[in-house]
Amino acid sequence: MSPLVEKVAAFLNSQPGRLLFVFVEVLLNVVFIHHGPFHAIDWKAYMDQIQTIQGGERDYVNIQGRTGPLVYPGGHVWLHWLLHDITDGGSNRLLCQIIFLVVQAMTSFFLTSLYWKYVPQPFATCAMFFFTVRCRNVYVNGLFNDCWAMLLVYAAVWLALSRSRWVLALFAFSAAVSVKMSSLLFAPGLAAAAYCAAGSFGKLVIWSIPAAMLQLAVGGTFLIQYPVSYLHRSFELDRQFFHFLSHNFKWLPKDIFFSRYFQISLLLCHVGLLIYFCARQSWLSTPTSDKYMLLSMIFVSNFVGIAFCRSLHYSFYVWYFHTLPFLLAYVNWPFVLRYTWLIAVELCWNVWTPYRSDDQDGTCASPKASLVLTCCHLVLLAGVLLRKEPR
């Protein structure tokens, strides 16, 4: 390697290089604001629901938007109440997009802090972020609540690993769950890491008290008046997903997709693999000084949940996309294979046709792309399972 290349690589992998990376990310999102397709359908539904709540309704059963009922916890409600008021009821499109641009920039700040600290060749590893079209559309053109949930999740991981502020980390994670329940996919790994840091179950419970109090606070007004309605709708564990929207399992026949046996099988695989990783890699006895291992526990637990998720819809890509460069580095694949795999996944997520009510099965997600995506997930999961420590 020539001295010039070494100097460039050293700069890119330094903190100034990290700031350059975040700056490029922001610039790319600005381009998408100007040229990307604006499709904030769920955003409009959020605003409909907030207007109903502002009118005095507190029963989740009666809170509807143009795309369906309110199915998110109280944190989502109060966050979007604030956004509703500062964006003229959600109608100030440019301001909305700028807010989500800031959310994405903050997410990049926390993520790059972790990557630059714990991953070799961080710039080359994270450069994969530059190539995503779907995630940028989810942030600045879709305005989905998933973006806020992931910001809070990565803030929690950063507080835990980079600052050793575990109480604040668990509080931030609770805030993420209060925005969208999907954040719980990170919970097994984060809980195991927190247990290792606490040293005992009793201390972990004490650390978790502020997080539990936050859930009561954001859901309080709904819990007091309509507790059953709130708990059922905001944490709807028996929710049925749409087959035509499924990016990971549209290739399955409908009768299997909606089968209770299939759903139970996914759950058993999810739980079984988590138990396997916990036992095989000694998750509950990992030294807190081994931050790389703690980070891998958190990201692996989330990916296991993704691999066996009942359905992945349009915006769900952001649940795990930003962890993929870490996982691909974790399994020690060469850069060519990492980029090939990630490009295949990105292409699968970008195969999408506009919805038509007269032909649901032929619109939205693609059966062929969903099969390829499922295979990609299983290949990476196999890589994690078969991973050997580098010599």
Side-chain angles (χ1 to χ4, degrees), residues 41-322:
I41 299 174
D42 279 22
W43 170 260
K44 296 173 183 177
Y46 303 157
M47 296 299 104
D48 294 341
Q49 293 158 356
I50 294 303
Q51 289 170 7
T52 301
I53 295 170
Q54 288 179 336
E57 183 59 66
R58 293 296 181 269
D59 187 349
Y60 262 51
V61 172
N62 299 324
I63 303 173
Q64 299 282 330
R66 63 193 69 187
T67 60
L70 175 60
V71 292
Y72 308 115
H76 163 92
V77 171
W78 305 124
L79 169 63
H80 285 84
W81 185 311
L82 175 63
L83 293 172
H84 175 278
D85 289 350
I86 65 178
T87 60
D88 300 324
S91 63
N92 190 332
R93 171 179 165 177
L94 180 59
L95 179 57
C96 293
Q97 290 181 296
I98 290 173
I99 290 172
F100 276 79
L101 175 66
V102 173
V103 170
Q104 198 280 336
M106 293 174 65
T107 302
S108 292
F109 171 83
F110 290 124
L111 282 164
T112 54
S113 177
L114 295 168
Y115 275 94
W116 257 251
K117 197 168 185 178
Y118 304 118
V119 178
Q121 299 176 288
F123 196 98
T125 300
C126 288
M128 300 178 189
F129 292 171
F130 295 151
F131 302 107
T132 180
V133 172
R134 172 55 62 87
C135 282
R136 298 191 194 287
N137 281 328
V138 168
Y139 275 88
V140 297
N141 290 317
L143 314 182
F144 288 95
N145 64 346
D146 309 78
C147 307
W148 293 94
M150 290 302 99
L151 168 62
L152 291 165
V153 166
Y154 296 129
V157 177
W158 177 79
L159 284 167
L161 301 187
S162 295
R163 293 295 181 267
S164 298
R165 304 294 296 273
W166 286 94
V167 176
L168 279 177
L170 294 174
F171 186 85
F173 184 72
S174 179
V177 174
S178 79
V179 172
K180 193 157 188 176
M181 190 183 68
S182 56
S183 306
L184 286 172
L185 293 177
F186 288 89
L190 184 61
Y195 175 82
C196 294
S200 68
F201 180 74
K203 191 173 181 180
L204 177 58
V205 170
I206 294 173
W207 283 4
S208 303
I209 290 174
M213 292 177 65
L214 175 64
Q215 292 296 325
L216 294 175
V218 298
T221 185
F222 306 103
L223 286 168
I224 291 172
Q225 298 182 54
Y226 301 98
V228 175
S229 174
Y230 174 74
L231 292 173
H232 178 258
R233 280 293 176 88
S234 60
F235 300 98
E236 195 174 10
L237 298 177
D238 59 349
R239 180 182 177 188
Q240 287 291 343
F241 294 95
F242 293 110
H243 178 261
F244 67 91
L245 293 175
S246 180
H247 270 284
N248 57 334
F249 287 126
K250 193 175 180 180
W251 58 275
L252 287 173
K254 283 186 178 180
D255 57 337
I256 296 178
F257 180 84
F258 291 111
S259 167
R260 198 68 177 166
Y261 295 107
F262 174 64
Q263 296 170 8
I264 293 173
S265 297
L266 290 175
L267 179 61
L268 291 176
C269 290
H270 182 184
V271 174
L273 268 182
L274 288 176
I275 293 173
Y276 173 79
F277 280 120
C278 189
R280 177 194 174 196
Q281 299 183 354
S282 304
W283 279 8
L284 298 180
S285 58
T286 301
T288 53
S289 59
D290 190 351
K291 300 297 179 62
Y292 181 81
M293 184 60 190
L294 295 178
L295 184 59
S296 71
M297 288 158 49
I298 297 168
F299 284 0
V300 166
S301 72
N302 178 67
F303 184 72
V304 170
I306 291 293
F308 296 106
C309 188
R310 282 189 294 156
S311 186
L312 295 174
H313 290 184
Y314 186 91
S315 64
F316 297 4
Y317 191 26
V318 299
W319 292 3
Y320 73 115
F321 169 76
H322 294 101

Side-chain angles (χ1 to χ4, degrees), residues 6-22:
E6 288 182 352
K7 288 182 180 180
V8 171
F11 169 77
L12 293 177
N13 293 322
S14 67
Q15 287 303 309
R18 174 183 163 231
L19 296 177
L20 174 64
F21 180 93
V22 175

